[in-house]
Amino acid sequence: MKILKNYSLSKLNTFGIRAFARFFAEVENEEELKELFVDPVFKENKKFFLGGGSNVLFTKDFDGIVILNKIKGIKILEEDDKTAVIRSMSGVIWHDLVTFATERGYWGLENLSLIPGTVGAAPMQNIGAYGAELREVLQSVEAFNIATGIKRIFSREECELGYRDSIFKNKLKNQYFISAITLKLNKIEKKNLTYKILSDYLDKNKINVRSPKDISDAVSSIRKSKLPDPRLIGNAGSFFKNVFVTKDKFEDLVKIYPDMPHFKEDEEVKIPAGWLIERCGWKGKRVGNAGVHEKQALVLVNHGGATGEEIVELANKIIASVKEKFGLKLVPEVNIV
Ligand SMILES: Cc1cc2nc3c(=O)[nH]c(=O)nc-3n(C[C@H](O)[C@H](O)[C@H](O)COP(=O)(O)OP(=O)(O)OC[C@H]3O[C@@H](n4cnc5c(N)ncnc54)[C@H](O)[C@@H]3O)c2cc1C
């Protein structure tokens, strides 16, 4: 494990933002991680753990050490007729883990196909897509306390997973490095077709779902047709979280905006942030080198050469106009550094 100086992060974030790390290291196994924990450069500097860089926006050079996670390996821990328990190291590419599971006929990850990034970042924001969330299958998270180097196992409950949220993004922010996760998957058919876009796609294409791979393939095709590819245009997926309001607040809003899309979730109502942004006239708008994607208003893009600050300025303008028009507060999903 070598510590490099003044390292470019441009190719390590899907926004394609130009930024440098004062120090930089790659870790390939837990031994290297332990070596790093006792290194004076690590101990004396600010730290940032990086996976695929698909949920991060660098607004300036990082005046500390960036550690790129390359710790690989997936193992089946237990298996019976009904379930399989698998452990994945955190540097595994998320979709490789999905493929590992779906190829073996294990149900539970197929709706989360093709989400960019690494396994270790998945519990950070309880990744979700197409009607599913990581928390439905997560059993535990192994994480090292960055200050002491001691490993702790968090049960699913202890991770405090919520909508695009976890204890690692809140109370324990910047305190733990996630080294592995354990998932409990189903071997007996358990399809989740609650998400209308997915069920419509399956109907339209006359796909009779027989395996988790059938769903994984469908989700992958839908995603490819809808989401901008960061290799072609810099972005970090949804820039903002969807908005949750009380039923009373929603009743007030829907009187003014009868076509407001919404999803009832327990005591609250979810309003798609993309719709709010679009109704404020931002879809396809460009401010300097930063912009709002022409098909997905929730996705901010780097048209080329944008700085992180330019993207943040655009985000702030969008937040202000949504606040002014609807009285609702948009919160970024992306980690702004
Ligand atoms: C085109 C596109 C589509 C997307 N679609 C979705 C989607 O459908 N659903 C969804 O939930 N997300 C989506 N995302 C967001 C992103 O892919 C996920 O949040 C993903 O989990 C980020 O993984 P990463 O490895 O790239 O994390 P990074 O961007 O590298 O890191 C994100 C945060 O996690 C921290 N972190 C990373 N690894 C560790 C670790 N091992 N231990 C501790 N902290 C760590 C980082 O410090 C940072 O704060 C999308 C992004 C893009 C570009």
Side-chain angles (χ1 to χ4, degrees):
M1 193 255 330
K2 261 201 219 139
I3 297 181
L4 306 170
K5 277 190 184 163
N6 205 24
Y7 195 89
S8 170
L9 303 171
S10 306
K11 292 204 166 74
L12 298 178
N13 71 96
T14 60
F15 252 123
I17 300 291
R18 189 172 180 271
F20 285 82
R22 184 152 172 238
F23 298 104
F24 178 86
E26 264 184 46
V27 283
E28 293 195 350
N29 50 55
E30 289 194 356
E31 278 59 51
E32 285 191 348
L33 193 65
K34 287 175 189 159
E35 234 179 83
L36 186 73
F37 284 150
V38 294
D39 193 291
V41 174
F42 182 84
K43 284 177 143 182
E44 288 157 19
N45 283 282
K46 269 200 309 182
K47 305 121 182 73
F48 187 79
F49 286 94
L50 189 63
S54 63
N55 202 15
V56 62
L57 176 64
F58 291 110
T59 54
K60 48 185 169 313
D61 291 340
F62 189 75
D63 188 21
I65 179 164
V66 169
I67 303 101
L68 184 65
N69 180 12
K70 295 265 180 169
I71 308 178
K72 306 278 185 198
I74 306 174
K75 207 171 163 187
I76 299 169
L77 296 183
E78 288 166 33
E79 194 173 6
D80 59 24
D81 295 344
K82 293 185 188 142
T83 57
V85 177
I86 58 178
R87 175 176 185 251
S88 171
M89 301 311 287
S90 58
V92 168
I93 301 298
W94 172 259
H95 188 70
D96 290 349
L97 177 60
V98 174
T99 305
F100 180 94
T102 54
E103 275 177 351
R104 286 166 176 75
Y106 301 162
W107 298 84
L109 298 183
E110 56 283 359
N111 294 46
L112 304 176
S113 295
L114 231 55
I115 296 179
T118 53
V119 165
M124 282 292 293
Q125 70 156 6
N126 177 30
I127 54 167
Y130 294 85
E133 280 184 335
L134 176 73
R135 68 174 146 190
E136 289 149 28
V137 290
L138 185 79
Q139 217 175 31
S140 62
V141 166
E142 291 167 49
F144 284 87
N145 182 313
I146 295 167
T148 62
I150 294 170
K151 195 199 261 191
R152 171 174 162 191
I153 298 179
F154 291 80
S155 66
R156 178 186 30 204
E157 290 67 33
E158 285 172 330
C159 292
E160 297 181 9
L161 303 173
Y163 166 68
R164 299 295 184 274
D165 206 11
S166 74
I167 195 165
F168 306 106
K169 244 187 142 172
N170 287 301
K171 271 184 248 167
L172 299 182
K173 194 173 167 150
N174 296 332
Q175 291 183 39
Y176 278 86
F177 168 73
I178 296 168
S179 56
I181 68 171
T182 302
L183 305 171
K184 189 169 189 178
L185 303 174
N186 280 294
K187 289 177 70 177
I188 295 169
E189 184 179 287
K190 198 172 181 221
K191 49 188 174 198
N192 172 356
L193 303 179
T194 50
Y195 204 77
K196 196 169 176 312
I197 294 173
L198 175 58
S199 54
D200 284 354
Y201 178 92
L202 294 167
D203 288 345
K204 197 173 147 230
N205 292 284
K206 299 191 173 51
I207 298 167
N208 181 14
V209 173
R210 293 204 179 87
S211 72
K213 188 167 179 307
D214 293 336
I215 295 184
S216 176
D217 290 345
V219 168
S220 299
S221 322
I222 302 170
R223 290 185 72 100
K224 280 181 193 155
S225 70
K226 288 192 141 209
L227 287 168
D229 181 345
R231 285 170 303 184
L232 305 176
I233 185 161
N235 75 87
S238 305
F239 195 90
F240 300 101
K241 296 185 189 188
N242 289 315
V243 180
F244 286 80
V245 295
T246 60
K247 284 182 182 152
D248 289 349
K249 174 80 184 165
F250 177 72
E251 292 308 326
D252 293 344
L253 283 165
V254 85
K255 278 181 205 144
I256 314 169
Y257 306 102
D259 59 338
M260 182 177 263
H262 60 281
F263 304 90
K264 298 220 161 76
E265 298 207 357
D266 302 325
E267 290 307 297
E268 291 187 305
V269 180
K270 180 170 94 178
I271 303 169
W275 184 86
L276 300 170
I277 297 167
E278 193 174 339
R279 282 300 280 267
C280 289
W282 283 104
K283 197 172 179 180
K285 282 269 165 71
R286 181 173 175 156
V287 181
N289 293 323
V292 180
H293 192 258
E294 54 184 8
K295 288 193 192 140
Q296 294 288 343
L298 199 47
V299 177
L300 301 193
V301 294
N302 173 4
H303 283 290
T307 62
E309 276 174 347
E310 264 183 288
I311 307 266
V312 169
E313 265 171 42
L314 172 61
N316 286 339
K317 285 186 180 141
I318 293 171
I319 292 171
S321 56
V322 167
K323 180 83 189 162
E324 196 186 315
K325 190 170 173 71
F326 299 101
L328 299 175
K329 189 171 184 288
L330 286 184
V331 175
E333 178 185 313
V334 171
N335 298 280
I336 298 168
V337 186

